[in-house]
Amino acid sequence: MKRFFSIIVFTAAFFISAYSLAALEIEEGPVYIPGNKTDLLLSFTGDMMAHIINYSMPDYSMIYRDIEKIMLNDSLTFCNVEFPVNRDIPQASYPVFNIHPEYVKAAIDAGVDVLSLANNHSGDQGTGGLKSTVGSMEAITWEYRRDHDRKVYYSGAKSNPQTEFRPVTIYKNGWKIGYLAVTQFSNVIPEPGHMLLVDFRNREQSDEFISWIGKQTGNYDLFILGYHGGVEYYTEPVKRKTEFFHELAAAGVDVIWGHHPHVVQPVEIFRYDDDSGTNSSLIMNSLGNFISGQGRIADPDLPEEEWSYTGDSAIIQAEFSYNNGNPVLGKVTAVPIANIMTTNREVVITPLEELTHQAVPEPWMSFFLERFILMHDYFIRNIREVSTIE
C-alpha cells in the first residue's frame, strides 16, 4: 500500500479494444542474467516531426550531427515518431503526414533506440497506413539486427488487431525493462485493435488502465510508459493529466515519458513510500519538439513569445542503478536543444549552450542567447516540492 508521496519537479484511448494490452517481446544480448545489472543512462526526447522543410533535406543525417554524441553514448534513447511511415505513397506534411523509412533510419543511425508509434498522427493514413508503419518498423528492426547487430524497439501500434497489446521487453545491461506506448487520441481513428488509446480525461478508461498497469510493473526491473496527450502549446500540464501521471507512478511505473504539447512542460521526480521503502518515479510531462519545422516562423525579436517554445526542447538524461531489488533513480540532467535553420535552409538540432558560443548572425544570436537563458531558468524555476498523504 502506497502511503506517502512527495513530488520534486526537476526541470525541464484506452480504447483498448477488448482490453488488448500487449506488444512484442525482444531480448537484448544472448544471455539474460537476473541480478547482474550495471547502471543505465537513459535519454528521452520529444516529438520527431516531419514538415516539408525537414523531409526535403538531401541528407537527413545532418539533422543530428550536433547531438548524436549524446545519443550514441547512453544505454537507450527514446523518441516519438509522429507520422505514418509508408514508402509506397508520397511524403506529406501537416495536416495528414506520411514519411519514408530513410527519415526514421537517420535518427536510429544517430543513436535513437526506442520508438513510440502511438500518437494523434499515427493514424493519418488510416488503418492501411498504420499497418504500413508497423511493417516499415518490422523491416527496419530486422535490417539493423542483420546488418548492424543492433536492436531497435517500438510500441504503440500493431498490424494484427486480434493480438493483445502488452509491454515490449528490453534486456539491457542485465535489466529486464518493460516498455509500453499509448496515446490519448488519434486524429483519424483506425479500426479497433491496431493502436492503444487511453484518454486520461475518461475516469473509467484511465482507472481500468492504471489497474492493469499495476499488475504488469512487478514483472520488470524497470517499467517505462510513453504517453502522448494533453493540451498543445501549454507549458504546464492540465490538472487531470498531472493526476493521471501521479496515479501511474503510484501503480509502479518508474518512468512516464510524455509528449504531444509541442512545448516543454515540467519534469518531476515523484517520491513515494511502499513496503519496499522509498522509491522514485521520473515523470516527463512533455519534452516538446525534438525535430520539426514549427520553429522556422519564430520571430527573432520576440524570444519570449509562446511560439518560440516550439523551436527548442531538451534531451532529458536519467541515471538508474539497482539496489535491494529496486531501481534507484540517480542524477537527472536536462540538455536544452534548439532547431536551427542553416544557410541552406536545413533544420538541424543543436544544444542551446553550444549556440551561445558560435558565430550566429544577429538578430538570431541574441535570440538564441535569450532562449538559452529562458530554457535554463525554466528548468530551474520548476524545482518545487509537494507532499500528499493517502
Side-chain angles (χ1 to χ4, degrees):
M1 177 68 68
K2 275 55 173 180
R3 297 185 296 274
F4 172 75
F5 304 91
S6 68
I7 304 162
I8 300 175
V9 176
F10 171 63
T11 58
F14 184 78
F15 202 4
I16 309 176
S17 270
Y19 216 173
S20 39
L21 276 170
L24 165 72
E25 189 162 309
I26 305 174
E27 295 189 3
E28 172 73 18
V31 179
Y32 170 58
I33 305 174
N36 187 22
K37 298 175 178 60
T38 57
D39 291 353
L40 291 170
L41 176 62
L42 305 181
S43 299
F44 296 89
T45 70
D47 296 327
M48 185 199 304
M49 305 295 294
H51 297 98
I52 295 174
I53 196 170
N54 304 125
Y55 65 70
S56 297
M57 290 177 60
D59 182 0
Y60 297 143
S61 69
M62 296 294 290
I63 297 172
Y64 308 101
R65 63 183 184 185
D66 294 336
I67 60 164
E68 63 179 8
K69 58 183 176 293
I70 298 173
M71 302 189 297
L72 288 170
N73 290 290
D74 59 8
S75 304
L76 296 168
T77 299
F78 293 71
C79 187
N80 171 53
V81 177
E82 193 146 353
F83 43 76
V85 183
N86 185 352
R87 72 161 62 255
D88 296 330
I89 60 176
Q91 299 194 114
S93 182
Y94 181 85
V96 180
F97 287 96
N98 183 68
I99 298 300
H100 293 168
E102 288 72 21
Y103 191 82
V104 177
K105 289 163 67 174
I108 295 171
D109 289 339
V112 171
D113 305 285
V114 188
L115 303 168
S116 169
L117 305 184
N119 54 70
N120 60 304
H121 285 291
S122 295
D124 278 5
Q125 299 295 332
T127 300
L130 195 63
K131 289 181 178 180
S132 294
T133 300
V134 175
S136 296
M137 290 310 306
E138 289 175 347
I140 288 172
T141 56
W142 172 249
E143 175 185 339
Y144 277 83
R145 285 193 186 201
R146 181 194 63 204
D147 298 341
H148 306 285
D149 192 26
R150 183 175 163 203
K151 306 291 178 58
V152 178
Y153 310 90
Y154 62 91
S155 175
K158 55 187 174 65
S159 298
N160 185 351
Q162 304 304 318
T163 60
E164 291 187 337
F165 277 101
R166 59 187 174 88
V168 171
T169 299
I170 303 170
Y171 292 131
K172 190 70 177 180
N173 292 10
W175 296 65
K176 182 181 180 182
I177 303 170
Y179 167 60
L180 185 71
V182 302
T183 182
Q184 178 189 355
F185 67 101
S186 176
N187 294 351
V188 179
I189 300 178
E191 296 172 5
H194 292 284
M195 191 188 303
L196 189 54
L197 296 101
V198 181
D199 191 343
F200 68 85
R201 300 168 302 178
N202 185 313
R203 279 285 184 175
E204 183 178 355
Q205 286 185 4
S206 60
D207 286 351
E208 189 175 358
F209 179 70
I210 291 165
S211 175
W212 180 86
I213 211 82
K215 298 173 184 176
Q216 310 304 312
T217 57
N219 298 323
Y220 302 92
D221 300 317
L222 189 77
F223 195 93
I224 301 171
L225 178 72
Y227 187 83
H228 195 84
V231 181
E232 291 182 320
Y233 311 114
Y234 276 40
T235 55
E236 290 285 341
V238 296
K239 180 180 178 181
R240 175 55 197 147
K241 191 177 88 166
T242 298
E243 293 172 347
F244 176 58
F245 281 3
H246 293 172
E247 290 162 0
L248 286 166
V253 178
D254 299 294
V255 178
I256 301 169
W257 165 47
H259 28 84
H260 175 63
H262 299 299
V263 294
V264 292
Q265 293 180 348
V267 176
E268 302 176 352
I269 300 172
F270 185 91
R271 302 199 191 280
Y272 62 89
D273 288 342
D274 63 11
D275 293 338
S276 65
T278 300
N279 301 294
S280 300
S281 293
L282 175 63
I283 300 176
M284 294 161 283
N285 287 285
S286 171
L287 294 187
N289 287 328
F290 182 46
I291 180 64
S292 82
Q294 288 186 295
R296 73 191 184 283
I297 61 175
D299 187 335
D301 295 323
L302 299 172
E304 297 187 32
E305 185 182 39
E306 289 185 0
W307 191 259
S308 296
Y309 284 84
T310 65
D312 50 35
S313 174
I315 299 173
I316 301 297
Q317 293 197 297
E319 298 175 2
F320 283 92
S321 58
Y322 203 75
N323 186 44
N324 294 327
N326 290 303
V328 178
L329 176 62
K331 184 178 180 181
V332 180
T333 305
V335 182
I337 55 174
N339 288 184
I340 64 168
M341 188 184 299
T342 69
T343 54
N344 295 326
R345 291 188 59 80
E346 298 176 339
V347 179
V348 302
I349 308 169
T350 302
L352 266 167
E353 186 173 14
E354 289 186 14
L355 282 174
T356 66
H357 304 297
Q358 296 180 8
V360 180
E362 293 290 357
W364 290 105
M365 183 66 207
S366 297
F367 174 83
F368 286 122
L369 180 60
E370 182 64 21
R371 288 306 305 165
F372 173 69
I373 294 170
L374 287 170
M375 290 292 284
H376 180 270
D377 289 350
Y378 174 86
F379 292 124
I380 299 301
R381 185 173 67 247
N382 281 294
I383 298 176
R384 58 184 181 266
E385 185 169 351
V386 180
S387 299
T388 60
I389 304 293
E390 291 196 347

